[in-house]
Amino acid sequence: MSTDAALGRALALVRDLRRRCPWDGAQTPETLRPYLVEEVLELDQAIHDGDAVVLRDELGDLLLHLAFQIVIGEEQRRFDAEHVTRGLEEKMWRRHPHLFANSPTDPDQTGWERRKLEERQGRGGTLRGLPRALPPLLKAYRL
């Protein structure tokens, strides 16, 4: 079975849940936010622990949250899966010119970081690119 079909099934599942379940239908990006943060931390722990079964389950939980956000975006006519995927593709094409263009760009991490900085020029100060909701200790580490 193709990966495209699997991702489409996740979106279809969430669309169905939102139609038929009052709780799922009432959710917004804001009401789902605390659960999303919790799931990301659980995924982090699963990666650390190295248990493939737990990792698979936590990836599924995160996929559910991503599908929820995409479906809600569709419902609000703000974006859809195609827009999200196209944005991802374009970002990776820009940041990997050594793979997707005839450019003699160094593919090292420094090149990636340099391209990220170039894209963010004029978009803030020292804290640009760091999520405002990042816990203070993680923010300090990243700085």
Side-chain angles (χ1 to χ4, degrees):
M1 181 163 302
S2 83
T3 303
D4 291 343
L7 296 174
R9 288 196 331 265
L11 293 171
L13 174 64
V14 170
R15 288 184 195 111
D16 183 52
L17 290 171
R18 287 186 57 80
R19 274 192 305 270
R20 298 192 310 137
C21 174
W23 186 90
D24 291 304
Q27 297 312 302
T28 67
E30 294 78 19
T31 62
L32 292 169
R33 187 173 171 232
Y35 305 112
L36 172 63
V37 171
E38 183 177 322
E39 291 302 341
V40 168
L41 293 172
E42 289 175 1
L43 175 60
D44 180 63
Q45 186 64 51
I47 291 168
H48 177 268
D49 293 346
D51 184 327
V53 173
V54 175
L55 178 58
R56 181 202 63 210
D57 290 347
E58 294 305 334
L59 285 167
D61 292 346
L62 184 57
L63 177 58
L64 174 65
H65 278 273
L66 297 175
F68 253 105
Q69 296 297 333
I70 290 169
V71 168
I72 292 169
E74 291 173 348
E75 293 169 355
Q76 296 174 347
R77 300 193 189 297
R78 294 170 63 199
F79 54 81
D80 60 18
E82 178 59 32
H83 289 107
V84 172
T85 301
R86 178 56 59 173
L88 168 65
E89 290 170 333
E90 289 172 356
K91 182 186 291 185
M92 293 304 103
W93 294 335
R94 280 191 315 273
R95 292 188 182 172
H96 292 84
H98 59 286
L99 299 177
F100 298 109
N102 295 326
S103 171
T105 304
D106 184 9
D108 69 7
Q109 182 68 17
T110 305
W112 170 278
E113 291 299 325
R114 185 177 57 254
R115 282 184 288 284
K116 279 176 56 177
L117 286 173
E118 289 167 0
E119 289 175 9
R120 293 180 178 167
Q121 286 298 322
R123 288 180 33 196
T126 305
L127 299 177
R128 78 174 169 264
L130 291 179
R132 289 188 313 270
L134 196 64
L137 187 57
L138 286 175
K139 193 176 287 187
Y141 174 76
R142 293 281 304 274
L143 287 173

